[in-house]
Amino acid sequence: MAGRASVPAVSRRNLPVEYEAVIGLEVHAHLLTASKIFCGCATAFGAPPNTQVCEVCLGMPGSLPVLNHKAVEFALKMALATNCRVNPESVFARKNYFYPDLPKGYQISQYELPLAEHGFLDIKVEGVARRIGITRIHMEEDAGKLIHSESRPVSFVDFNRTGVPLIEIVSEPDLRTPDEAVEYLKGLRNILLYLEICDGNMEEGSLRCDANISLRPVGQTGLGARAELKNMNSFRFVKAALEYEIKRQRALLTAGREIVQETRLWDTAANQTVSMRGKEEAHDYRYFPDPDLVPVRIEAGWLESLRKNLPELPAAVCIRFQTEYGLPEYDAEVLTSDKTRADKFEATVKGFPHLSPKQVSNWFLDDPTSMSTITPAASGSLLTLVEKGTISRNQAKEVLKEVMATGKDPETIIKEKGLAQISDASALKSLAQEIINANPQEAADYRAGKTKVMGFFVGQLMKQTRGQANPQLANEIFQRLLK
Ligand code: ADP
Ligand code: MG
Ligand code: ZN
């Protein structure tokens, strides 16, 4: 009896524990200022190494940093756009560590008193809306870049990037899935682009992301030990690395092992995360307020005028697209999730008012990449040609590919390829009459009620026009001629 009684307890213990992922992102964005954050050096990407440097960004003794006003303005715009509270006073601090790409031996950042705190960003994944907390936004300078020689065992350092202004946007651990993390990152990038304060180029490193991830049993509220995945520079890597990490951590926990807090890297070649350093090797940055810089005091009037002059942000454009153009919510969301897409859509609709906005939207949803690449003039004229029946939808898709490949305008491509469907009723009518004359038996059959023969007639006409007849028009013409 005692043995039987213990059975449920044992099997309950053996039930697999369900885990949920807890994810928080630290996102770094280059600000599009012309000069660096604490000196007058240019920030442009791609210049020959070490041509955009001076004594300040190289950390020469005795040089003094002076804060770039524009960088503060841009950072404040992001703070306002993400619903943050801006601190009336914030403080720059030195983050001390040694690395060859950091000439001063410390990075100027913000620590205890950041520029802004307590914001949020609303995201939607598969129709489910979620509000993701933003813990803080602070300003800092970027470090230089190491370039490792492929032919010799040496490395070079390029200090052009040293001192380029960055904002770091730290989220609450509110994200639950890799898809949510990617959506949140895309949402931030989109807002940065709408504000025109960052180019959002992840390949060039203008937007980078560290992802922190832990697992915990569903229902538990505390946080588990986390891995910090460093410096991911594409949406695909963020998703893949988080998915890999969920599997890795779940396997460890299920096997009764512990997760150790550590920093890991995404190895793009091996498609896995690898350990970079553990908690014991974690840096102690010895932050302290930078004595060379005064606290940043944000005047209320300045902040208010920035708030008033914020450009229309994606969430507002999304609502406007629904009211102004009668688009379904889904269409408006997809269009405004990418600034270029939304801008091109709107320019097409405004430039070609005879087109129905929903029709235009359908094309953008169907092939967002092509439609966002070609000019509104090209997309407008393409869709007009479809509407007039000059070309069919399938032909238009072909033309769209050609516009992408050659940059030629749709009308030229249609002429060059002889693509236009024949919608000229009189030309089709004489051809149709010839076909009827040549096939008296079929004509008689049709008139006797065998309406299926219509397919034969239209088929003949398509054959003679090498598929260029407008099939609907052909149908109508035959019906009339065979009455
Ligand atoms: P650090 O400065 O050491 O990187 P923070 O406490 O500032 O640590 O957190 C950095 C990021 O990690 C934040 O986005 C936060 O939400 C997230 N985070 C913190 N703890 C966890 C955890 N246990 N699991 C997942 N994410 C976490
Ligand atoms: Mg961190
Ligand atoms: Zn400089």
Side-chain angles (χ1 to χ4, degrees), residues 456-476:
F456 163 78
F457 281 119
V458 174
Q460 289 294 308
L461 188 66
M462 292 310 263
K463 213 163 135 190
Q464 292 207 14
T465 58
R466 282 176 300 137
Q468 287 182 36
N470 178 333
Q472 203 189 329
L473 186 61
N475 212 296
E476 285 164 20

Side-chain angles (χ1 to χ4, degrees), residues 26 28 95 168 170 210 212 226 228 230:
E26 296 162 273
H28 289 91
K95 179 178 181 179
E168 177 172 342
V170 182
D210 300 341
N212 297 268
R226 70 177 143 136
E228 179 169 3
K230 276 289 189 198

Side-chain angles (χ1 to χ4, degrees), residues 358-422:
K358 176 58 182 154
Q359 288 298 334
V360 179
S361 167
N362 287 347
W363 280 83
F364 273 86
L365 265 54
D366 196 50
D367 187 349
T369 313
S370 305
M371 293 296 285
S372 308
T373 308
I374 68 174
T375 63
S379 55
S381 89
L382 184 70
L383 301 200
T384 304
L385 290 164
V386 176
E387 201 196 57
K388 281 201 292 197
T390 310
I391 51 172
S392 69
R393 277 184 58 86
N394 282 332
Q395 287 175 319
K397 285 186 184 168
E398 227 182 284
V399 175
L400 181 55
K401 278 201 202 111
E402 280 294 305
V403 177
M404 283 282 285
T406 64
K408 290 181 185 165
D409 64 286
E411 305 216 20
T412 310
I413 292 166
I414 289 164
K415 260 188 223 132
E416 283 177 3
K417 303 213 144 201
L419 272 179
Q421 53 178 358
I422 300 172

